[in-house]
Amino acid sequence: MPKSLIEFRDWSSNELQKLIQNSFYLEKNKGVLNFESKPVVALLFFESSTRTRISFEIACHRENYSSVLLSGKSGSSLDKGETLQDTIENIVAMKPDLLVVRSDHQLNQAEWAQRLNIPFISAGWGSMAHPTQALLDVRTLMKKGRDLSKTKLVIIGDIQHSRVAQSHFQLSEKLGYDLAVLPHNQIQVPRHVRCLSNFDEALSWSNVIMALRYQVERHQEKMENEEMKKWQINSQILQNWKEDGLLLHPGPVNYGYEMAIDAKSSEKYLLMDQVESGVWVRRACMNYFLRGAM
Ligand code: CP
């Protein structure tokens, strides 16, 4: 019996025929030899990620799902010129039970989710959506005992390129928290979202601040460093702000720009609480699709 399947030299035609026949047997019997196999989640991360990717992986382990991961171009056939579309079609042909996808705007995630006959969770889509991030932000506030109907969240900075802001535009309407933005560039926001024009107004209106990284990789024009610091949140600002104020940031943070490193010492800094919530939210999202658990 061959010890590996690399070259066919070690294999007899009989063994190879048997192998192929077994694959037909499995298909005919719906994988009966494997009836206890766990649901398989395909994690397709075409853009960089730390928090979202690792938390989905940990969520898979905790929920006893198997996961397969495609992380970035390198190491996949995208490197050889295969398109994202072909990559997804090929992975779907292998019949995973759930797709989790992070991509830029070039992949129309909404269209793909409609077209595919398999559940699809966005793990971040260009500047369009990051639903699990918005859910984990809200969960973090709820865990802190916040009543969403009394929550006034202001998102500050690079709103134009923020998929997190887009998801909050939708989620705030569904869950009934007040939302404002203090955008770096003029942008259109939905009617229920306030557009503020200065930092002091943002501090006085809100009881939760979300700072955002300037997503220079999506900018058409170079942004001056000083511009990225103009609304920098630091420990002094947090100390002088409302006693019950809370600080969020989806991460990654560029300390020294939208936030000073000393903000980490504030009790209002909830970034690690957000990351912890991320695993629970992603577990719940996957269970919804794979176990119908509500
Ligand atoms: N918040 C967030 O999406 O972080 P990552 O890019 O590290 O996943």
Side-chain angles (χ1 to χ4, degrees):
M1 199 163 137
K3 284 208 171 121
S4 65
L5 179 54
I6 300 168
E7 294 184 282
F8 291 123
R9 272 195 283 264
D10 309 334
W11 290 68
S12 69
S13 6
N14 241 353
E15 281 164 334
L16 289 168
Q17 283 290 357
K18 208 165 149 198
L19 200 67
I20 293 167
Q21 287 312 321
N22 274 344
S23 78
F24 282 117
Y25 177 84
L26 281 171
E27 186 180 9
K28 193 163 159 224
N29 293 285
K30 305 219 176 321
V32 74
L33 296 180
N34 235 354
F35 64 95
E36 283 187 346
S37 70
K38 304 181 221 169
V40 176
V41 180
L43 303 169
L44 311 183
F45 280 72
F46 300 115
E47 276 192 340
S48 315
S49 169
T50 298
R51 279 148 290 275
T52 314
R53 178 168 65 80
I54 301 290
S55 65
F56 266 111
E57 287 191 81
I58 289 179
C60 284
H61 288 300
R62 298 290 187 217
E63 291 299 325
N64 214 15
Y65 299 138
S66 299
S67 63
V68 289
L69 171 67
L70 187 153
S71 182
K73 249 182 148 182
S74 169
S76 79
S77 289
L78 287 159
D79 245 0
K80 304 173 200 162
E82 187 164 37
T83 61
L84 291 189
Q85 287 73 8
D86 259 3
T87 303
I88 294 179
E89 276 171 11
N90 277 268
I91 289 166
V92 167
M94 297 177 213
K95 307 254 183 288
D97 299 292
L98 170 66
L99 284 189
V100 173
V101 180
R102 166 167 292 195
S103 72
D104 67 15
H105 68 280
Q106 287 177 42
L107 185 86
N108 189 330
Q109 290 192 9
E111 246 177 55
W112 276 86
Q114 282 262 320
R115 173 137 56 100
L116 297 173
N117 203 11
I118 157 179
F120 185 118
I121 297 177
S122 175
W125 174 25
S127 304
M128 257 77 81
H130 197 351
T132 59
Q133 178 68 46
L135 287 168
L136 76 86
D137 295 335
V138 167
R139 183 187 186 275
T140 304
L141 299 176
M142 291 168 74
K143 183 138 190 238
K144 282 278 166 195
R146 287 305 160 95
D147 176 348
L148 291 184
S149 69
K150 293 183 184 144
T151 294
K152 288 169 155 321
L153 168 64
V154 63
I155 308 181
I156 296 179
D158 194 1
I159 314 292
Q160 186 189 358
H161 298 100
S162 173
R163 51 193 173 208
V164 180
Q166 289 293 336
S167 285
H168 276 290
F169 290 168
Q170 295 178 16
L171 194 61
S172 57
E173 204 171 19
K174 298 273 174 197
L175 299 185
Y177 52 97
D178 286 335
L179 184 62
V181 291
L182 175 59
H184 169 71
N185 285 339
Q186 281 222 321
I187 49 152
Q188 286 243 310
V189 294
R191 284 163 64 101
H192 71 284
V193 178
R194 264 170 205 250
C195 203
L196 306 178
S197 54
N198 76 68
F199 191 62
D200 289 339
E201 191 186 4
L203 289 177
S204 67
W205 178 83
S206 64
N207 52 23
V208 182
I209 291 173
M210 175 180 285
L212 294 177
R213 179 178 70 90
Y214 286 88
Q215 299 188 36
V216 290
E217 70 277 16
R218 298 191 205 279
H219 292 186
Q220 306 286 347
E221 286 171 24
K222 186 174 161 21
M223 196 173 170
E224 295 302 325
N225 283 351
E226 287 313 307
E227 271 290 284
M228 293 193 267
K229 295 178 189 175
K230 76 174 173 186
W231 293 323
Q232 186 181 90
I233 310 286
N234 60 33
S235 64
Q236 194 64 52
I237 289 170
L238 293 172
Q239 197 180 328
N240 296 341
W241 186 41
K242 295 166 190 169
E243 206 174 315
D244 66 346
L246 297 173
L247 174 65
L248 303 177
H249 189 307
V253 183
N254 285 160
Y255 289 104
Y257 292 94
E258 73 274 14
M259 195 184 293
I261 191 83
D262 66 7
K264 291 180 89 161
S265 61
S266 169
E267 284 181 0
K268 294 169 179 160
Y269 174 99
L270 293 189
L271 279 66
M272 294 308 115
D273 304 66
Q274 287 174 272
V275 173
E276 187 183 340
S277 268
V279 177
W280 294 110
V281 160
R282 285 159 184 143
R283 285 172 74 162
C285 291
M286 291 194 294
N287 285 350
Y288 173 80
F289 290 110
L290 295 173
R291 296 193 175 123
M294 282 300 284

